[in-house]
Amino acid sequence: AKHTASELAKKDAAANKNVGAGRAGMMDRAGGAAGHAKFVCPICNMQAPSPKNMQEHHESKHPKLPFDPEACVNAQAVHGGSTQGVGVAGTAKKSKKLAKGKE
């Protein structure tokens, strides 16, 4: 029985998409303790995904203060990454296979 490309794509999405239920899955989809943004403004705690976005934010919202990229907190480094993958079905299956030595 041959599978169509759309069937295979649906199976792949179902296995690897983060749809975990409960509080852990909800927190994981929200980006964990760090959130999805990486950098946090030391002045107003606004989050930005990249140093360039943080510089643009700083020039826009804090124009009178000098911009110091070293002062921006890397939230993902502090919290150990953005997500833990608790709700990713494919990750759980793969880790079980690795534990059994099948891959």
Side-chain angles (χ1 to χ4, degrees), residues 10-57:
K10 285 178 188 175
K11 282 185 176 188
D12 182 56
N16 296 311
K17 188 175 180 186
N18 188 350
V19 293
R23 178 165 281 142
M26 182 177 68
M27 286 294 295
D28 199 50
R29 286 190 304 277
H36 290 293
K38 188 170 183 177
F39 298 98
V40 178
C41 177
I43 300 163
C44 66
N45 288 332
M46 201 274 318
Q47 296 182 340
S50 71
K52 181 155 179 58
N53 291 119
M54 183 53 68
Q55 183 175 1
E56 289 172 358
H57 157 75

Side-chain angles (χ1 to χ4, degrees), residues 46-97:
M46 201 274 318
Q47 296 182 340
S50 71
K52 181 155 179 58
N53 291 119
M54 183 53 68
Q55 183 175 1
E56 289 172 358
H57 157 75
H58 198 279
E59 291 169 357
S60 170
K61 301 297 180 188
H62 317 293
K64 293 181 181 178
L65 301 170
F67 176 64
D68 180 18
E70 299 298 320
C72 298
V73 179
N74 184 342
Q76 291 181 4
V78 171
H79 295 287
S82 69
T83 62
Q84 303 301 318
V86 295
V88 181
T91 308
K93 290 177 188 173
K94 189 171 186 177
S95 64
K96 284 181 185 177
K97 284 182 183 178

